Amino acid sequence: MLTILHFHCQISQVQHIFTLYDESIEIKGPQFLMELDINYKMKIRWEISEKRILSLQIKDLLIQANQDDLIQLKQHLDGRVIYLGIQNIYETMELISAKENSKVCQLEDRFTKVCVCCKALRKDAYEIEQLHQSIMILYKLQQYSYFPRIYEIYESKTHLYIVQELMYQHISVDLMHEEIQIIIYELLKIVKILIENKIYYSKIKLSKLMLDKKGNLRLIGFCPAQQTNEIDIENYLDKIGNIMMNLYGVNDSFNSLPKIADNGNEFIVGLMNPNRDYRFSYEDAMQHEYIKNIFSEPNLIQHKSPNPKLITDVTESLTFYSKKGSCFQKQY
């Protein structure tokens, strides 16, 4: 076991030692020892006063400790456990979107004033174990830059709250040919990551592609993600072909596509050919002229700065949605 954090704490005015390992927590006192695995069965409530973390509660234990130690603990646990009392930590700034079983809000951290995104999911509308599995999959992908950063997971009686990196822009459909090429190339790299990690991610479509504040591509919408040994690579390539058609302004059939430079029409047919015997493999797609020409002389500037065109900042488009509202429920 790797020791991450080690500090003194007080439980019922008796000194204990709190140790955070890579996959577990140990709380040790004069006549007491508790060992807990770090997973989504662990529920923690942070006790807050005047923007300070005073203590945490695990099961029936109220644990008091130094403010800096508690902040470090919270940072290290990040999205691997369930927290309670989200309103103690975050304030709702904007309701970005609302559906029957979910809401997306922009929150502000009461301590750091950093803005984050929160997806609130009704627990009775989802299989909770599947949600936990999906979050674990996305947590596994945190080492890659193409997926939103998960900060924390909260729970109330009725909702599960996923607090994650705030995205700023959707991908525009008003793009130049070279910009579309770069997006498709980035998507192929995303697919390679998913294949290598044996992850099926069913929501690869244009509406699930967003940009962070620096213009880096992110794939969002992780709830249906599944870990599986049987990855349908052709299905992934077909989804990329659909996105490519959307970006070139066609929503029905690749037979109605305009003439695309760099043999782009042949590339789309290779990704989506109804005759599966003639579809591209992943290697075929990466070696095709449409991708290889990204790195040719006319595209050198794009290659050095591979950020696609940005559309209006999301805060300017919020008028499309409801005015300020909360994604938190009163019961927590």
Side-chain angles (χ1 to χ4, degrees):
M1 290 188 297
L2 177 63
T3 301
I4 307 297
L5 195 60
H6 186 77
F7 58 86
H8 294 279
C9 65
Q10 297 280 329
I11 301 175
S12 299
Q13 299 183 339
V14 177
Q15 183 168 291
H16 290 66
I17 299 296
F18 192 107
T19 305
L20 173 67
Y21 297 106
D22 50 349
E23 296 183 354
S24 64
I25 285 174
E26 180 185 271
I27 305 169
K28 187 175 183 180
Q31 297 178 329
F32 176 85
L33 177 64
M34 176 182 283
E35 296 178 339
L36 299 166
D37 292 332
I38 295 175
N39 55 42
Y40 295 122
K41 294 180 180 179
M42 183 183 292
K43 307 290 178 70
I44 294 177
R45 182 185 292 275
W46 301 101
E47 299 298 329
I48 308 296
S49 176
E50 297 180 355
K51 298 184 179 181
R52 290 178 58 84
I53 301 178
L54 301 180
S55 61
L56 72 152
Q57 184 172 341
I58 303 178
K59 295 188 174 181
D60 58 348
L61 297 179
L62 183 63
I63 303 166
Q64 297 175 310
N66 178 277
Q67 163 81 357
D68 292 337
D69 290 330
L70 294 177
I71 289 175
Q72 286 189 60
L73 174 63
K74 186 171 179 289
Q75 291 172 342
H76 284 299
L77 287 174
D78 47 47
R80 296 182 296 156
V81 299
I82 297 291
Y83 295 148
L84 306 174
I86 188 170
Q87 289 178 313
N88 291 339
I89 307 294
Y90 294 101
E91 179 182 359
T92 300
M93 304 304 292
E94 297 285 353
L95 175 64
I96 297 176
S97 67
K99 298 180 181 179
E100 181 180 359
N101 298 319
S102 65
K103 295 179 182 178
V104 178
C105 297
Q106 180 176 324
L107 311 182
E108 182 180 83
D109 189 306
R110 296 181 186 274
F111 296 89
T112 65
K113 301 303 179 183
V114 171
C115 287
V116 296
C117 175
C118 176
K119 188 166 187 177
L121 303 167
R122 279 181 45 193
K123 287 160 57 174
D124 62 355
Y126 296 89
E127 176 60 50
I128 194 68
E129 289 299 323
Q130 176 58 44
L131 284 179
H132 288 167
Q133 288 297 317
S134 299
I135 295 168
M136 290 175 62
I137 288 171
L138 189 54
Y139 190 79
K140 179 180 180 179
L141 295 171
Q142 297 292 284
Q143 60 183 303
Y144 306 103
S145 64
Y146 294 110
F147 305 90
R149 175 86 170 96
I150 285 187
Y151 298 129
E152 297 169 340
I153 311 298
Y154 285 82
E155 188 174 329
S156 70
K157 291 180 180 178
T158 58
H159 283 72
L160 189 73
Y161 303 96
I162 298 96
V163 180
Q164 58 186 322
E165 176 185 11
L166 180 64
M167 299 291 102
Y168 286 82
Q169 289 90 12
H170 284 283
I171 296 292
S172 169
V173 295
D174 181 23
L175 299 171
M176 296 185 295
H177 167 70
E178 291 81 3
E179 292 171 319
I180 297 174
Q181 281 179 292
I182 293 167
I183 291 172
I184 299 305
Y185 174 61
E186 297 288 287
L187 280 173
L188 285 169
K189 291 198 289 184
I190 289 173
V191 162
K192 182 68 175 298
I193 291 169
L194 297 176
I195 292 169
E196 290 177 344
N197 286 276
K198 298 181 179 180
I199 294 170
Y200 178 60
Y201 207 90
S202 65
K203 284 195 175 181
I204 300 183
K205 54 185 178 180
L206 187 57
S207 63
K208 298 302 179 183
L209 299 179
M210 294 194 73
L211 302 165
D212 68 7
K213 61 183 178 181
K214 295 182 179 180
N216 299 309
L217 189 68
R218 296 286 192 272
L219 176 62
I220 65 170
F222 57 89
C223 290
Q226 298 177 356
Q227 194 89 49
T228 176
N229 290 323
E230 298 180 3
I231 301 295
D232 187 349
I233 298 174
E234 290 183 352
N235 183 268
Y236 273 145
L237 297 181
D238 183 78
K239 291 180 183 298
I240 292 176
N242 270 302
I243 291 173
M244 188 172 169
M245 288 206 309
N246 294 157
L247 292 173
Y248 282 107
V250 177
N251 296 313
D252 46 15
S253 169
F254 55 70
N255 294 319
S256 60
L257 280 167
K259 178 68 175 177
I260 301 174
D262 297 312
N263 235 337
N265 298 75
E266 177 186 274
F267 183 75
I268 290 181
V269 172
L271 295 175
M272 305 180 67
N273 199 325
N275 187 337
R276 301 177 74 91
D277 291 337
Y278 293 95
R279 281 196 183 185
F280 282 167
S281 66
Y282 180 84
E283 291 72 21
D284 293 334
M286 289 297 283
Q287 292 299 315
H288 191 270
E289 175 186 352
Y290 182 84
I291 296 299
K292 295 185 75 173
N293 278 2
I294 293 174
F295 308 103
S296 64
E297 189 65 29
N299 282 328
L300 283 179
I301 295 177
Q302 292 291 336
H303 175 47
K304 291 178 181 177
S305 181
N307 293 333
K309 186 185 297 181
L310 309 183
I311 65 168
T312 307
D313 191 274
V314 69
T315 56
E316 297 179 11
S317 64
L318 288 171
T319 52
F320 177 78
Y321 302 104
S322 304
K323 293 186 178 180
K324 184 176 180 180
S326 175
C327 66
F328 304 147
Q329 299 300 302
K330 290 185 180 179
Q331 293 182 320
Y332 65 92

